[in-house]
C-alpha cells in the first residue's frame, strides 16, 4: 500500500532515517521490517528518497507469501481494517521520527492580512474552524482557505491538511499544476482556479505571487464591469 502522501505535507530528515530502524544498500532506498498482528505478518516498509515514495507490503510470517488483500483499496472487513490500523501506527511513528512538517498556514494568513489589509470572512459559520475566505474590495473571494483530505486530491490517505483555492489565468493553470503542491481546484471551476496545499509549499514567495495574481484577477472583473457601463 502506498503512503507516499506524507511527502506532500512534510520534509524528510535524512539523518534520522537509520536511527528510526531503516537500512540501506545504496543511500537512496531504505527498508524496514516490523511484525504486526501478534507476529502473524511481516510488514516490509520501503522508503525511496529519489522517488519520494513510502510503501508497505505485508507477508505471511510462516509462508512468506504476500497478503494481497492489504494492497486492495476496495478490500474491507474487520481483519483487513485492523491490519491497516496497525500499519498506520507504524507510518505515523515513522513520520514523527523521520519527517518534519512545514505548515505555512499561520504565516500565510498573517501575510494576507498585512498585504491586503483584510480579515478572514466566514460564510459557513457551522464550519468556521475548517474554512474561511478572504475578499477583495469588491467583496469577491480571492482566497478560500480550507481543510482538505489527500483523497480529495486524488492521493491515498484520509489525513487532513490545509489548502487554499486561488484564481489563476486560464492560460497559466496547466503549467502551474504539478500535483505536488498545486492541484486542480476543489469545489470551484477548474478552468479558473487552483488548489495550493499549504503544507507542501516549498516556495513561499511563489505562493505570495499566486495570491497577488488571484487578488488582481477578481478585482479586474469588477473594474471591467464598471468600464463597460
Amino acid at each position: 500500500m502506498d503512503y507516499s502522501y506524507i511527502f506532500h505535507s512534510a520534509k524528510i530528515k535524512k539523518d534520522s532515517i537509520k536511527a528510526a530502524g531503516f537500512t540501506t544498500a545504496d543511500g537512496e532506498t531504505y527498508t524496514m521490517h516490523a511484525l504486526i498482528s501478534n507476529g502473524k505478518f511481516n510488514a516490509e516498509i520501503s522508503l525511496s528518497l529519489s522517488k519520494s515514495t513510502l510503501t508497505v507490503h505485508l507477508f505471511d510470517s510462516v509462508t512468506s507469501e504476500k497478503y494481497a488483500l492489504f494492497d486492495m483499496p476496495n478490500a474491507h472487513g474487520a481483519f483487513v481494517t485492523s491490519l491497516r490500523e496497525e500499519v498506520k501506527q507504524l507510518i505515523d511513528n515513522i513520520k514523527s521520527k523521520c519527517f518534519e512538517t512545514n505548515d505555512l498556514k499561520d504565516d500565510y494568513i498573517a501575510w494576507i492580512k498585512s498585504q491586503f489589509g483584510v480579515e478572514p470572512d466566514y460564510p459557513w459559520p457551522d464550519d468556521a474552524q475548517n474554512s474561511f475566505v478572504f475578499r477583495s474590495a469588491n467583496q469577491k473571494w480571492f482566497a478560500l482557505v480550507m481543510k482538505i483530505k489527500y483523497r480529495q486530491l486524488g492521493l491515498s490517505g484520509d489525513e487532513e491538511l490545509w489548502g487554499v483555492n486561488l484564481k489563476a489565468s486560464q492560460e497559466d493553470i496547466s503549467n502551474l499544476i504539478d500535483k505536488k503542491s498545486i492541484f486542480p481546484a476543489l469545489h470551484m471551476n477548474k478552468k479558473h482556479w487552483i488548489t495550493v496545499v499549504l503544507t507542501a509549499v516549498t516556495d513561499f514567495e511563489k505562493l505570495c505571487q499566486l495570491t497577488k495574481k488571484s487578488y488582481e484577477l477578481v478585482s479586474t472583473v469588477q473594474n471591467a464591469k464598471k468600464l463597460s457601463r
Side-chain angles (χ1 to χ4, degrees), residues 11 17 19 40 44 72 77 79 91-92 109 115 120 130 134 140 153 158 183 197 202 210 229:
K11 182 180 179 181
I17 298 176
K40 295 178 182 177
E44 183 179 273
M72 297 179 182
F79 184 63
I91 296 301
D92 288 343
I109 292 172
Q115 176 71 29
N130 298 317
F134 288 96
K140 297 286 187 180
L153 300 171
D158 283 325
F183 293 79
V197 178
T202 57
L210 290 172
R229 291 175 182 172

Side-chain angles (χ1 to χ4, degrees), residues 156-169:
S156 61
D158 283 325
E159 186 175 341
E160 288 187 326
L161 60 159
W162 284 98
V164 58
N165 276 7
L166 300 171
K167 194 165 190 179
S169 298

Side-chain angles (χ1 to χ4, degrees), residues 55-69:
T55 57
V56 180
H57 297 292
L58 294 188
F59 298 88
D60 187 289
S61 296
V62 177
T63 65
S64 296
E65 292 183 357
K66 187 176 181 181
Y67 186 61
L69 286 178

Side-chain angles (χ1 to χ4, degrees), residues 28-203:
E28 287 295 328
T29 302
Y30 293 79
T31 304
M32 178 196 294
H33 291 87
L35 295 176
I36 68 168
S37 189
N38 295 320
K40 295 178 182 177
F41 291 92
N42 176 25
E44 183 179 273
I45 306 166
S46 179
L47 172 65
S48 173
L49 299 186
S50 58
K51 297 179 181 179
S52 296
T53 58
L54 179 62
T55 57
V56 180
H57 297 292
L58 294 188
F59 298 88
D60 187 289
S61 296
V62 177
T63 65
S64 296
E65 292 183 357
K66 187 176 181 181
Y67 186 61
L69 286 178
F70 177 77
D71 294 322
M72 297 179 182
N74 295 327
H76 300 289
F79 184 63
V80 174
T81 299
S82 67
L83 292 177
R84 287 175 179 158
E85 288 176 352
E86 277 198 63
V87 171
K88 182 61 166 54
Q89 291 177 5
L90 289 175
I91 296 301
D92 288 343
N93 187 47
I94 290 170
K95 183 177 180 181
S96 68
K97 292 180 178 179
C98 302
F99 291 81
E100 57 183 357
T101 302
N102 184 29
D103 192 343
L104 298 173
K105 180 178 75 72
D106 292 342
D107 290 341
Y108 179 57
I109 292 172
W111 176 83
I112 288 180
K113 291 179 178 180
S114 173
Q115 176 71 29
F116 303 104
V118 295
E119 292 292 328
D121 181 36
Y122 301 89
W124 307 284
D126 293 339
D127 198 39
Q129 297 298 318
N130 298 317
S131 58
F132 49 91
V133 302
F134 288 96
R135 301 178 186 269
S136 66
N138 61 17
Q139 295 303 301
K140 297 286 187 180
W141 299 358
F142 68 90
L144 164 59
V145 182
M146 57 189 171
K147 274 188 179 178
I148 56 181
K149 293 186 177 182
Y150 284 108
R151 58 179 171 78
Q152 293 177 287
L153 300 171
L155 305 171
S156 61
D158 283 325
E159 186 175 341
E160 288 187 326
L161 60 159
W162 284 98
V164 58
N165 276 7
L166 300 171
K167 194 165 190 179
S169 298
Q170 190 170 353
E171 60 270 20
D172 293 336
I173 286 181
S174 61
N175 292 325
L176 289 172
I177 291 173
D178 57 16
K179 293 190 175 181
K180 294 180 179 178
S181 63
I182 304 177
F183 293 79
L186 291 176
H187 313 308
M188 299 178 78
N189 191 327
K190 292 177 172 54
K191 293 182 178 179
H192 302 285
W193 294 81
I194 56 175
T195 293
V196 181
V197 178
L198 296 179
T199 49
V201 169
T202 57
D203 188 340

Side-chain angles (χ1 to χ4, degrees), residues 17-28:
I17 298 176
K18 289 186 178 180
F22 283 94
T23 59
T24 181
D26 58 11
E28 287 295 328

